[in-house]
Each structure stands twice: as C-alpha cells, then as structure tokens.
Amino acid sequence: MTTDMSTGPTTTKADWTSDQEPRWCPGCGDYSILSAMQLLMPQLGARPENTVFVSGIGCAARFPYYMKTYGMHGIHGRAPALATGLATCRPDLDVWVVGGDGDILSIGGNHLLHALRRNVNIKILLFNNQIYGLTKGQYSPTSEIGKVTKSTPLGSVDEPLNPLSVALGAEATFVARTHDMDRTHMQDMFRRAWEHAGAAFVEVYQNCNVFNDGAFAEITKKDKRPSMLITLQHGEPIRFGAEGERGVIMNRSGELQLVDVADVGEENLLVHDERAETPSLAFALSRLSSGPFMPTPIGVFRAVEGPEYASQVSRQLAFAQDRSGPGDLAALLRSRATWEVA
Amino acid sequence: MTDTVTRQPAPRISEDLDRLVIRFAGDSGDGMQLTGDRFTSASALFGNDLATLPDFPAEIRAPAGTLHGVSAFQVQVASETVTTPGDAPTVLVAMNPAALRSELDRLEAGGTVIVNSDAFEERNLDKAGYTDDPLTDGTLDGYTTYLVPMTSLTKEVCKDLGVKPRDAERSKNFFALGVVSWLFDRPTQPTLDWIDVKFGKRPLVAAANAAAFKAGHAFGETTEMFQATYKVRPAELEPGTYTSINGNTALSWGLIAAAQQAKLPLFLASYPITPASDVLHELSGRKNFGVRTFQAEDEIAAACAAVGASFGGHIGVTTTSGPGLALKAETIGLALSIELPLLVIDIQRGGPSTGLPTKTEASDLNLALYGRHGEAPLPVVAAYSPSQCFFAAIEAVRIALKYRTPVILLSDGYLANGSEPWRLPDLEDLPDISVDFTTRFNDADEEGNPVFQPYKRDPQTLARPWAVPGTPDLMHRVGGLEKEDVTGNISYTPANHGLMTELRAAKVDGIAADIPPTMLDSDGPATVAVLSWGSVWGSVTSAVRRVRAGGPAVDHLHLTHLNPLHADLGDLLGRYRTVLVPEMNLGQLASIVRSRYLIDVKSITKVEGVPFTASEIAAAIAGAVDDD
C-alpha cells in the first residue's frame, strides 16, 4: 500500500483517536469496530495524515469524527462517490468508506455498484445491522421479510438484499464478511481490505442494541460461533463445528450443501478458493445462508487482482502526455483554423 | 439540367451587403449542422464577424421527412460587429418540404428561398402536411425562389466516382453549400481542405463531397438562374489572431486555463446531458493537460466526486443542465457547508422537467440562487457570449478557490452551441488565481499548544483554511452537520448556528468587493436602460445600437455576476426612469431587482426555446422611450 513502517514514526491507538467523544448509544456494536480499527492502524504502519475516512449519513457514518485522520461526513448514500473523486485524484491516500445498510445499500446502492465495478482503490465497510438506527427504527434493505418496525407494523413484505451477492454481482474484486463480536477477525478482514489494490467491500455484522438487538446473536455469541460461523480460509476445506465435524460440499446439482464430514468424507469437502477467476464460488458461498439464524460463512469470499481505477486514469494521463506532449494552452487556442486581422 | 455545368457564365451584378442572415434547414439526416458550420468557418476565415444559432431536435434521427425531424442552422455574417445570429433570415435553404414548411415563416418579407426541388415529391409533401405543392401553389409568392434539383445533380456528378447512388445522395448538403458559397462569394478552398482532412480515411466519401461542393458552386456560376451575387466584406475587427469558437469549447478551454492560473490540477466529473456533454467530451480529449475526467453513474455522483477531488486539493468541477442541477442540489449544500471549492456549470435548457433539451432558455436563475434547503447562499456567475465563456470559467474558478465555496456558472444552450470569431487573448494577461493550502498549525489551545482549527477564517475573505489530506499534523474532519465556529467540531448550539449561518452569508456577500462593476454601455445621458444577464446580452447589444442610431440615448447594463450582485448596481439603476429587463424566463432577475432595490423594472419575457431577436428588444426599448 501507500505507506510502510519506514515512512514515519510508529503510531499508537492514541494517534488514531480524535478528541471527539463518540455519540453512539451505549452498547452499540460500532464501538468495538472503531476500537478494532484504531488498534489495527498502528499495526499496519499506516499514517494518519495519509488516511481519509469518508461516510454518508447514519449512525455508522459518524465513524470519521472519531478517527484522528482526515475525514468527511458527507451526505446520505454518496460516500462511495465522494471517495471515488478523492481516490481518483489522490492515489497516494488510503481512503476508507464507512456506512450502514440503509446508507450504502438503499439510498446509495447505485454508487456502491459503480465504485465496485470501477475497482477504485477505496475500502468500503458496510456496518450491517439490518435496521435504520438514526431515524429510529424503520426496516432496512437488509431486514428480513416479516420484520415488524414503525414503518412496517404488519411486517415487511420487501425481499432483503444480500450485500455480498450484490457486491459480487457488481464485479467486486475483494469481498469479505466479519462481525463486531470478534476483534481479531475484524482486524484480519480490515487488514486484507487495506492490502488489496482496488475496491474492497467488507460487510460487518453489527449489533444495534436499541432497535434490532440480538439480530446476529444466534450466530455471533461466543458459544454459538463454532456451530454457526463458517470461517473461510483460502485453500482449505470449508468446515465448521467445535470439532470441525460439519462441512460444505457442492452437490451433484452444483449447489452448496451443509453436511456432516463423517457422512461425505473429508476429501469431498469443498476447498475454498478466494482467488478463483470467476466469482461463481464466492457467489454460491454468499448465498449459503439465508440469514443470521443458520450457519453463515465469514472471511474473505473473493480477492482477485484487477486493474485499479486511479492507476488506469493516471496511466492515460501519462500516455496522453507521451503522445501529444504536455498541454500547451497557447497552442490549444490555436488548434483550430485561425486567421489574422491586421 | 446537368448540361448547365458547361454553359458560359452569364454577366452578373455583384452587390455588397452589410450583413447576411442565412438559415440552412433540412432533415436531421441531411447534415445541416455541418453545412452551416462549414459556411460559418469559411466566413470567419474570410474575415466577417458572425454569430450562429444551431437549432436541432432532441431526437437523433426523427422519422425522415417529418416536421419534427427538421434541423436548422442560422448564421449571421457581417462586415460590422454582430452579437446575435440575426433576426429574420434573409436566405432560407430548404432541403425538403418539411424544412420549408417549418422554417418559411421565419424568413423576412421578400427573402430568398433556395430549395432542393428533388425532395418535393408526393410522399415528402404528405409527410410535411402539404396538400398542394408549395413550389407551385403560390406559397412562395413574394419571395425570391430558386428551385435547384440538388439530389439529382449530386447523384449525377458522383456517378463516375464509383459512389453508390444512395451514398452519393448524402453529399447533397455539400451541393447546397457550393451553391450558397457561390451566391455569397465565400472562399471555397477552406471547405475543400476541410473535406480532405475530415474524410481523409474515406476517400470515396471525400471525393463525393468535394465533387458535390464543386458542382454546386459551378451550378451557381453557370446557370442563369441567379441574377446577382452578394458580397459581405470583411468586418473591421480589432487586430489580432482569431479563431471561431462556440461556448462549450470556450468554457472547456477556460477551465484548462483556470487550472493553469491556479497551479492546481483539474478534475471534471459529469454525467452526460444535453447541451452540456460537449464540455465533458472536449476535456476528456485534453488529458495531456493533466485533466482528469470522470463520467459518473449519475448527476449526484458527479457532483460528489468533484467535492471529493476538491477535498483532495484538486479543482473539482461538474457540468450539467437544468435537470442535473436539481439533482446536485444536496451535494452543493454539502460543499457549501464544508466550505470547499466546487464549480457547478449549468448549461441551461428549456424546462421544467425534461423540457426542451436542445433549446435554449435562461430559467435556472432562481434554481441557481435558491435551489437548496436551508440558508445556502453561493456565488453565481453567468457567461454572456460564446467566447466570453472562457473568461467566465476562469472567474468562477477564481471565486470558488479563493472563498472555498461552491460556485454556479450559468451558460445556456444558445451560448453552448453558438459560435463567433474570438480574438485570442494574451495568456500573460490572465489573472493569477492561485491560493495557498494551509500546511501549518493556525492556532494554539488553552495551554499554548499549537493546533489546527479548520474553521478559523481569513479575516478578510472569511474563507476557512484549506488543508489537504497528506499534510502532517492538520488532520481534521469536515461534514454536513453544523460546525462550531473556529474548531469545526459538531455543534448544535443555537447561537453558534446563527453565527455560522451569518458568516456563510457574509462571506458570499463580501465577494461583491472583489468583482468588477456592472458592465455599463452608455452613449450619453439616458432615462431608459436595459438590464441584462446571460446570453441576452447579444440581442440587447444589437438592439441598443439600432435604437441609438435612430435617435434616443439608451443605456445597457449587464450583469456578469448574479450573486453577489455588483456593488454599484443599486446606484446605477437609480439613474433611470425606466429599466427594461429582458429574460428568457418569466422575469426572475426582474423580481430580484424589484425586491432588492425596490425599483419597479419592466420585465420583458420570452420562453420559446429561442433567443430574443434584436428587433424584439429594440421594439421594447422604443416603446419604453415613447412612454417615458
């Protein structure tokens, strides 16, 4: 990436913590994500002055205020677009986007698609709590069907979006999922996103303890994790359970299926390949679970190399200068037919 | 008719004209814009002053031969200074019945009509809604009419070139151009050279077009149809090097110049929209100037990407037209709140909604001034002629950078596509508009430790410091929530919001001391004045000149800045008994002037998708003088 340990003195968490007191509700999952990030940054060797957090609107979007970096709290849904302009002009910066499910998938869904397919070098963290928090508890584009909220008193009838499927459908080159109860795993995912040259999309299951408390508890509570979280490891057979007794296979109709390892044999388990050229496997994995109440994969679903947007743009500028020479305004003004009046 | 080419030229009269207004009209597929453009270029190179008005439908290819598929191009060429494409055309070239039907009413009484008689067959007459043939039923009585079988003559001359008849027919616009080039004594070489360059890679097309052009010219010369040729002598223009330029190109080049004068890179983010797209096209081809262009997924993303670029220390620009400006409103509010430079260029077109995409209007003034929620004042600059778009772009960037504010620059469809000769400026004379980034702490905390305060303003400009990411120690956060004065921290304190609201307004108001005075064109004490903004400047300039030639003094005040208004405007307006405000809207500036200065100006409005003619304004002035 753009910075390494040699470019500046070592930083500590304090160097990444702004003087602004977080204004999230006590017990909000956002605190643990913020802390994970502030602790990770010194490990990465990133520099605060070269780091920018950009956000839209919502609880998650307050994140930049608490990082002692450059930051912009933008407008609802548009953080990927704001960040795209910044990252395109300033490839020397680490640009992060933070937003919630309403911000990034509803009002800003379009910008997410285009930032991902362009492969702009921005790291998009989707704090998914399956609810609107800051507007006080309406259903979100990731809320499950039947969700009873203030705006859906008889239950939501909207099919929810699967954020990872959306990202993969948009040709994202890096797609991962983590959750707010596991700092180490979050940091692993953030680190991988940071290291990725291009657009990275990380879904963070995040608990909203006020409006949707326990939405992910069935899979993220410590005692549930072994049986409910399927941790993806590149090149490893996909298995889970306290003893690794459960696993994933691709059945004869080409669909992924949860199995007992003892029933199919270890050698028949699906081996995870985050670098697969086509996103088919990652897409199938993104659809393995239909909600946070059944075994759900976390980890890096996809990490492939692709041409990064800003560097392509810079390359075209260099090419144009090579071909036509550096711009000469006086010559430009005379580039069409001219005539003299004496 | 083909043997006419071999006839000996008949003796002709050559008449001098001061000015000529010619309108080329045909089907969208007939190449009328190109024909008009070539006639214009040849005239420019010949040394005439001129102004053009392309007038085409929004559809790329409406059904051939229909009225709504008619595409027209009007140009005024003159031996004196002109500022409009002319009122009623003196010559109409009509390539088919639909063109004749839709355009004939515009022609001046007794004007000249040159028609492609081959196109006047039953099917085309039907499509145009003619029940009888207008060439023979008396429709053209009172006009000087020339019936020229352009299609068949073009096919004939292309026969031996090996061009398919269907392809040959496409060259008939060059035949028409040849005829008028002869009739109005235009030089032919520039057009032949242009054909060579433009169609160099398609030799057959080049040959057909050149042959058609020469044949048209020869037809004029040898047929006895035309009794006279007309000459419009070169205009006496200020000495210098000239080029022909339209508003969108001038605007694009102005942005490049602004970036050079600011010593900052230019970032243009846009979503395609008529009539603004040509700025995106032009700048996309100028990457060797270090210009980054970004075709965004929508208008909002375009504005946001430009804000992101400005945050990073580039000049963030987004171009659009009315519907897009509506979409960008929230982003402009953000830029205003976080006080970063942003240039939003609105090439106005007919509205509301999709409106008239290819027609001009100046009805976004209120949107530019007020189209945001909250108290959200921002500077508004308006271009007034095609070439002046160059300088308007520099001025708008200057204000955006110096005052860290979004600026809206208004152009319109007429300026965008209209062209005129432009005396190239001396680049040495362009202003230095560079600004300094903040790179050091600018304050101290209570213990005396150095700190950076992102909202500690420059006492003179009230601009806040611009510290870009990558600058050590100055890390800070900006956002759309209300900020505390000086520190920029989120603040919901009532008094602070009042203060910040007033500071933002005062910053913009203060720019009045940093812009030129009202443009005043006066030839003596006058009691009547015309107040204009935007492209109506051209029509008003012509009208005022015409009225003065007849007698009474009349002043012309023109606004290049709509917010803040020129500091001298109130005093100036107080001098007149009558102030006329012609606008291509229902009186938006008139309302502003009334409320601001309590002067009951007379609003003159036209919202028809075409500019005012000078005659319309001259008539209004004459009426005002009589009533005065």
Side-chain angles (χ1 to χ4, degrees):
Chain A
M1 287 292 297
T2 52
T3 47
D4 61 46
M5 301 297 275
S6 63
T7 58
T10 312
T11 59
T12 65
K13 185 185 180 193
D15 294 314
W16 296 87
T17 306
S18 82
D19 60 356
Q20 299 298 295
E21 195 182 336
R23 299 186 191 186
W24 291 311
C25 308
C28 176
D30 288 351
Y31 283 101
S32 65
I33 307 174
L34 175 65
S35 179
M37 184 64 83
Q38 289 167 335
L39 286 164
L40 172 68
M41 285 295 181
Q43 297 176 29
L44 295 178
R47 297 295 311 165
E49 67 268 25
N50 291 333
T51 303
V52 186
F53 280 85
V54 180
S55 66
I57 295 296
C59 296
R62 298 297 180 92
F63 197 92
Y65 286 117
Y66 312 131
M67 295 294 298
K68 195 176 174 184
T69 63
Y70 286 91
M72 187 193 291
H73 180 216
I75 46 176
H76 206 9
R78 318 301 169 197
L82 291 160
T84 293
L86 177 61
T88 301
C89 292
R90 295 289 307 276
D92 56 315
L93 302 173
D94 290 340
V95 181
W96 297 80
V97 167
V98 176
D101 35 308
D103 191 38
I104 284 186
L105 288 171
S106 193
I107 189 168
N110 190 33
H111 308 305
L112 174 70
L113 300 184
H114 293 278
L116 292 177
R117 60 118 177 156
R118 288 189 187 106
N119 204 28
V120 190
N121 193 20
I122 59 179
K123 315 305 163 194
I124 303 173
L125 308 183
L126 169 70
F127 295 5
N128 182 7
N129 55 21
Q130 303 189 339
I131 199 77
Y132 278 77
L134 202 58
T135 51
K136 301 194 172 67
Q138 300 82 5
Y139 75 117
S140 91
T142 54
S143 297
E144 65 277 15
I145 286 186
K147 184 81 174 174
V148 174
T149 71
K150 285 177 188 164
S151 58
T152 51
L154 300 181
S156 154
V157 294
D158 300 21
E159 183 69 33
L161 280 176
N162 178 324
L164 297 194
S165 298
V166 169
L168 290 162
E171 311 291 340
T173 52
F174 182 93
V175 175
R177 178 190 282 144
T178 185
H179 67 95
D180 62 2
M181 300 290 282
D182 186 343
R183 174 187 295 164
T184 309
H185 192 266
M186 272 193 286
Q187 290 180 331
D188 283 348
M189 295 303 104
F190 298 164
R191 175 196 299 275
R192 289 288 310 275
W194 185 79
E195 287 167 349
H196 179 73
F201 179 78
V202 182
E203 179 186 25
V204 186
Y205 283 157
Q206 174 250 325
N207 190 45
C208 172
N209 59 321
V210 173
F211 294 108
N212 203 16
D213 194 24
F216 305 101
E218 275 302 301
I219 61 171
T220 60
K221 265 165 101 176
K222 214 158 196 170
D223 58 327
K224 299 277 191 184
R225 287 182 210 164
S227 58
M228 296 300 272
L229 291 180
I230 307 170
T231 306
L232 301 173
Q233 302 273 7
H234 177 67
E236 299 289 330
I238 302 174
R239 59 199 298 176
F240 60 107
E243 310 293 330
E245 72 279 12
R246 299 273 289 156
V248 177
I249 61 159
M250 185 176 285
N251 67 23
R252 265 178 284 176
S253 39
E255 285 165 350
L256 301 193
Q257 193 181 326
L258 301 179
V259 292
D260 287 327
V261 178
D263 291 347
V264 298
E266 198 179 326
E267 67 282 5
N268 289 317
L269 291 179
L270 186 64
V271 174
H272 182 48
D273 180 7
E274 65 186 32
R275 296 173 206 160
E277 205 170 314
T278 69
S280 309
L281 174 64
F283 190 80
L285 284 168
S286 78
R287 312 199 63 83
L288 188 59
S289 158
S290 44
F293 45 83
M294 56 187 288
T296 300
I298 60 170
V300 177
F301 286 62
R302 184 164 205 242
V304 296
E305 286 179 16
E308 191 277 317
Y309 187 78
S311 56
Q312 298 283 99
V313 169
S314 300
R315 199 164 299 152
Q316 286 198 344
L317 296 195
F319 170 77
Q321 295 199 348
D322 279 353
R323 194 184 55 180
S324 318
D328 175 348
L329 184 58
L332 176 64
L333 265 48
R334 286 162 177 78
S335 60
R336 299 177 175 186
T338 60
W339 65 97
E340 298 295 326
V341 173
Chain B
M1 290 297 282
T2 53
D3 64 342
T4 53
V5 177
T6 58
R7 285 186 199 163
Q8 286 304 306
R12 287 317 146 72
I13 313 156
S14 176
E15 286 182 23
D16 275 351
L17 299 176
D18 290 339
R19 57 183 60 224
L20 162 70
V21 180
I22 183 163
R23 191 169 176 95
F24 297 92
D27 199 58
S28 292
D30 282 345
M32 289 299 97
Q33 300 304 318
L34 188 140
T35 308
D37 200 47
R38 292 327 308 154
F39 186 84
T40 301
S41 287
S43 300
L45 289 174
F46 181 67
N48 294 127
D49 198 12
L50 56 85
T52 72
L53 176 69
D55 187 4
F56 46 87
E59 295 75 21
I60 304 302
R61 288 278 167 89
T66 60
L67 287 171
H68 47 268
V70 172
S71 173
F73 186 103
Q74 183 167 319
V75 55
Q76 170 161 233
V77 301
S79 59
E80 55 198 9
T81 319
V82 293
T83 54
T84 75
D87 295 356
T90 40
V91 179
L92 170 67
V93 177
M95 298 301 284
N96 69 3
L100 184 69
R101 186 170 176 134
S102 96
E103 305 297 320
L104 186 63
D105 285 351
R106 300 175 196 266
L107 195 59
E108 69 174 24
T112 298
V113 189
I114 303 171
V115 297
N116 174 17
S117 55
D118 286 332
F120 284 69
E121 32 95 307
E122 206 179 328
R123 212 164 130 253
N124 283 337
L125 292 170
D126 268 0
K127 282 192 203 163
Y130 279 123
T131 45
D132 295 311
D133 186 348
L135 304 186
T136 55
D137 72 353
T139 301
L140 297 174
D141 288 357
Y143 298 105
T144 306
T145 307
Y146 299 109
L147 310 182
V148 184
M150 300 185 195
T151 311
S152 50
L153 290 175
T154 302
K155 281 184 181 168
E156 182 67 26
V157 76
C158 290
K159 205 167 58 182
D160 298 335
L161 297 172
V163 185
K164 288 182 200 143
R166 206 188 138 72
D167 292 339
E169 188 185 333
R170 288 207 189 126
S171 297
K172 64 181 182 293
N173 59 327
F174 278 94
F175 189 96
L177 182 61
V179 173
V180 295
S181 293
W182 176 80
L183 190 56
F184 297 104
D185 202 15
R186 302 287 95 183
T188 54
Q189 201 55 45
T191 296
L192 291 169
D193 292 346
W194 181 86
I195 289 172
D196 266 357
V197 172
K198 177 76 179 176
F199 301 105
K201 287 184 182 153
R202 288 178 290 164
L204 268 187
V205 178
N209 286 339
F213 178 69
K214 287 180 191 163
H217 199 267
F219 177 85
E221 194 174 341
T222 52
T223 182
E224 289 171 8
M225 190 180 272
F226 302 102
Q227 300 307 308
T229 63
Y230 305 91
K231 203 178 213 107
V232 183
R233 299 195 177 282
E236 279 184 33
L237 298 169
E238 241 184 291
T241 304
Y242 282 75
T243 194
S244 177
I245 197 147
N246 68 34
N248 273 352
T249 308
L251 193 54
S252 308
W253 292 359
L255 291 173
I256 291 174
Q260 291 200 353
Q261 298 306 105
K263 303 179 187 73
L264 287 178
L266 181 67
F267 178 80
L268 175 77
S270 297
Y271 185 76
I273 185 169
T274 303
S277 302
D278 281 340
V279 178
L280 172 63
H281 303 161
E282 172 64 22
L283 287 173
S284 297
R286 303 295 170 199
K287 290 184 165 49
N288 61 322
F289 282 86
V291 179
R292 284 174 180 77
T293 55
F294 175 66
Q295 182 175 313
E297 58 270 25
D298 60 33
E299 295 280 0
I300 300 171
C304 285
V307 170
S310 289
F311 187 61
H314 287 221
I315 303 173
V317 181
T318 184
T319 51
T320 190
S321 189
L325 184 59
L327 283 166
K328 292 179 198 296
E330 190 191 9
T331 312
I332 297 171
L334 173 70
L336 197 148
S337 176
I338 62 182
E339 302 193 37
L340 281 174
L342 170 70
L343 176 56
V344 180
I345 299 173
D346 175 19
I347 317 287
Q348 300 166 93
R349 68 189 213 189
S353 189
T354 310
L356 305 173
T358 59
K359 310 291 180 190
T360 196
E361 204 162 289
S363 48
D364 293 348
L365 178 59
N366 282 342
L367 179 63
L369 289 169
Y370 309 121
R372 291 159 297 285
H373 64 282
E375 287 291 341
L378 53 69
V380 177
V381 175
Y384 63 83
S385 85
S387 63
Q388 194 267 337
C389 287
F390 179 84
F391 301 100
I394 298 172
E395 171 66 354
V397 171
R398 179 188 76 87
I399 294 173
L401 294 178
K402 183 169 177 182
Y403 294 92
R404 326 279 202 250
T405 176
V407 173
I408 293 178
L409 169 57
L410 296 172
S411 174
D412 64 35
Y414 162 55
L415 295 179
N417 292 317
S419 54
E420 63 180 357
W422 180 34
R423 190 170 66 87
L424 297 179
D426 189 342
L427 297 182
E428 302 286 312
D429 295 341
L430 298 182
D432 177 356
I433 58 170
S434 59
V435 294
D436 291 327
F437 291 140
T438 300
T439 55
R440 290 165 195 279
F441 294 117
N442 62 351
D443 209 349
D445 66 12
E446 283 159 12
E447 283 96 51
N449 302 311
V451 291
F452 176 61
Q453 308 279 25
Y455 276 77
K456 187 178 175 203
R457 295 167 191 278
D458 178 292
Q460 206 192 338
T461 62
L462 297 182
R464 74 174 191 88
W466 190 6
V468 303
T471 312
D473 303 324
L474 306 192
M475 290 79 74
H476 64 283
R477 278 65 54 195
V478 294
L481 287 168
E482 185 59 283
K483 291 147 289 285
E484 186 180 56
D485 184 32
V486 182
T487 68
N489 293 329
I490 298 173
S491 167
Y492 303 146
T493 311
N496 178 73
H497 179 54
L499 173 66
M500 291 297 276
T501 302
E502 282 168 17
L503 279 171
R504 287 187 287 260
K507 180 174 79 167
V508 174
D509 288 345
I511 298 170
D514 188 26
I515 60 175
T518 306
M519 278 167 60
L520 171 62
D521 172 18
S522 177
D523 71 338
T527 56
V528 174
V530 186
L531 174 67
S532 62
W533 72 274
S535 69
V536 73
W537 173 85
S539 312
V540 175
T541 301
S542 290
V544 163
R545 212 180 282 159
R546 216 177 279 181
V547 171
R548 283 176 186 162
V554 56
D555 282 3
H556 179 191
L557 313 181
H558 182 81
L559 308 180
T560 51
H561 296 64
L562 279 309
N563 195 40
L565 289 163
H566 303 274
D568 60 346
L569 181 62
D571 288 345
L572 275 178
L573 289 172
R575 293 184 189 172
Y576 307 100
R577 283 207 292 271
T578 306
V579 176
L580 304 172
V581 184
E583 293 179 85
M584 288 192 291
N585 59 48
L586 291 184
Q588 298 182 11
L589 176 65
S591 293
I592 292 163
V593 172
R594 284 182 192 131
S595 71
R596 171 89 183 254
Y597 301 107
L598 300 178
I599 290 172
D600 187 20
V601 298
K602 276 194 181 152
S603 180
I604 304 167
T605 68
K606 182 177 187 183
V607 192
E608 298 175 0
V610 289
F612 279 98
T613 63
S615 316
E616 288 165 339
I617 293 175
I621 299 171
V625 169
D626 288 347
D627 294 347
D628 190 53

